[in-house]
Amino acid sequence: MRKIEIKEFFGKVLAEIFVDKYNCIVCDEELRDTLKYGLCEQCKSKLTFIQSKICEKCGRLQINEADYCLTCQQHKREFDFARSCIVYDDVAKEIVRGIKFGGKKYFAKYIANFLVEKYHSAFDGVKIDVVIPVPITKKKKKSRGYNQSWEIARNFVKAVDLLADNDIVVKINDTKEQARLSGVEREENTVGAFEVKDADKVKDKIALIVDDVMTTGSTASEIARILKKAKAKEVYLLTFASTRYKVEGERLEQERKQDTAQEENLTQQEKDQVNVQDASQQEI
């Protein structure tokens, strides 16, 4: 191997290890030290933390004083309750885009820090037995290089001393992108998509589903349904972000277009990074 090739190789390795050390994970502003959320003060100030005025079932930020949002009033949710850390606005979208489509797996440790804080404040008194990430299909995992929900979950459990299991629930059918669907279509899209692989691991247990984003809650509700069918005692949901609740009939066209265009609008550098990861997976 030529000297220049060796230099390039180690340069890429070092970039992968230290890429986030002194820079904001959203705007790339230089930081004096690593921070809990990996964000500069300006980006952090743009986050909307979900603390009160929420739907008691799905945990999304409410637009009125009602205990439950219209979605949860009109659709049965199988999870006992769900909670999210922040509203899925611009900065949150950049973070999710990075880990989900940009190959930035290291974002998981920062997202997990958000979850840890919310877990301690919102799940006090709930004794979780097992943490379950929302699974993706083998095809999607091969394309992406990893399941971002699992990466978040395994970082999360290290900090809260819980057990995470990536093999209890599997995704058996590739579904359409939820962002492109209406509320009713989202419900139909998830039915039959998941399967409990090992029911003995959840029988009489309290499970916590972990994911990056919750929109209507239909995916988590379907997973909760099959877990309870497998005799899980209780099932909860904890996500990094959740969409801002909109009144019935108000479409989220702009947000949906942004979400569905994310993978198409990756920079060349991000695409190259994903390709490198795909190649690594094939070698393994």
Side-chain angles (χ1 to χ4, degrees):
M1 184 180 289
R2 292 181 301 174
K3 188 179 292 184
I4 188 168
E5 291 175 337
I6 295 173
K7 185 176 180 181
E8 289 176 354
F9 171 76
F10 282 105
K12 290 179 180 179
V13 171
L14 290 173
E16 179 67 23
I17 296 173
F18 297 109
V19 66
D20 64 319
K21 188 172 182 182
Y22 296 111
N23 296 84
C24 173
I25 61 175
V26 171
C27 72
D28 205 37
E29 179 182 332
E30 187 173 350
L31 305 174
R32 287 184 295 179
D33 199 358
T34 54
L35 300 175
K36 181 168 67 170
Y37 299 141
L39 299 170
C40 66
E41 286 302 316
Q42 184 174 0
C43 287
K44 183 182 174 183
S45 69
K46 295 177 182 178
L47 297 175
T48 301
F49 285 85
I50 301 175
Q51 297 173 334
S52 59
K53 199 179 178 183
I54 64 171
C55 169
E56 293 183 9
K57 189 68 173 181
C58 73
R60 284 192 295 172
L61 192 65
Q62 269 282 48
I63 59 173
N64 53 40
E65 300 301 324
D67 291 335
Y68 300 97
C69 68
L70 284 175
T71 302
C72 290
Q73 289 179 39
Q74 297 172 359
H75 301 277
K76 183 179 180 182
R77 290 291 170 250
E78 298 289 348
F79 47 77
D80 288 80
F81 69 70
R83 294 294 181 264
S84 296
C85 308
I86 60 176
V87 172
Y88 190 51
D89 286 336
D90 294 341
V91 171
K93 287 181 180 182
E94 286 300 313
I95 296 172
V96 172
R97 178 187 177 215
I99 190 172
K100 202 166 185 175
F101 304 119
K104 297 177 180 178
K105 186 165 67 173
Y106 69 93
F107 278 19
K109 64 184 178 182
Y110 295 113
I111 295 174
N113 286 339
F114 282 90
L115 266 59
V116 169
E117 193 168 288
K118 176 59 69 173
Y119 175 74
H120 286 312
S121 64
F123 290 83
D124 185 35
V126 180
K127 190 181 184 307
I128 301 299
D129 294 306
V130 62
V131 174
I132 300 173
V134 172
I136 58 178
T137 59
K138 290 181 179 179
K139 179 181 178 182
K140 179 84 45 106
K141 184 178 179 182
K142 183 178 179 181
S143 172
R144 190 170 294 167
Y146 54 86
N147 176 6
Q148 77 282 354
S149 296
W150 168 241
E151 296 302 322
I152 294 167
R154 70 186 187 91
N155 278 274
F156 165 71
V157 296
K158 289 177 185 177
V160 295
D161 194 25
L162 291 175
L163 170 70
D165 197 317
N166 195 32
D167 298 316
I168 293 176
V169 178
V170 295
K171 190 171 186 181
I172 55 177
N173 292 323
D174 208 355
T175 52
K176 298 176 183 177
E177 287 293 334
Q178 292 283 75
R180 303 179 184 182
L181 307 178
S182 67
V184 174
E185 290 171 333
R186 287 170 192 256
E187 301 285 335
E188 297 172 347
N189 191 43
T190 59
V191 175
F194 304 95
E195 180 179 83
V196 176
K197 189 175 180 181
D198 193 340
D200 289 338
K201 289 184 177 182
V202 295
K203 184 178 180 182
D204 300 322
K205 299 292 180 64
I206 299 176
L208 177 65
I209 302 169
V210 165
D211 202 8
D212 50 3
V213 181
M214 189 198 77
T215 49
T216 63
S218 55
T219 296
S221 182
E222 174 63 13
I223 294 174
R225 184 188 70 79
I226 63 172
L227 285 171
K228 288 186 174 181
K229 187 177 180 181
K231 307 303 182 183
K233 187 178 179 181
E234 298 170 16
V235 181
Y236 298 88
L237 171 66
L238 177 60
T239 63
F240 168 57
S242 59
T243 54
R244 190 182 296 274
Y245 183 74
K246 300 290 184 178
V247 294
E248 185 73 13
E250 184 175 353
R251 307 295 289 179
L252 308 179
E253 294 300 333
Q254 184 175 0
E255 292 184 7
R256 289 180 182 177
K257 287 178 182 178
Q258 290 173 349
D259 292 341
T260 55
Q262 284 178 347
E263 198 158 7
E264 299 173 4
N265 292 337
L266 293 178
T267 65
Q268 188 59 50
Q269 183 179 2
E270 288 172 332
K271 289 178 181 178
D272 291 341
Q273 189 171 1
V274 172
N275 290 335
V276 168
Q277 289 182 334
D278 288 347
S280 298
Q281 289 292 316
Q282 291 170 2
E283 289 174 4
I284 293 173

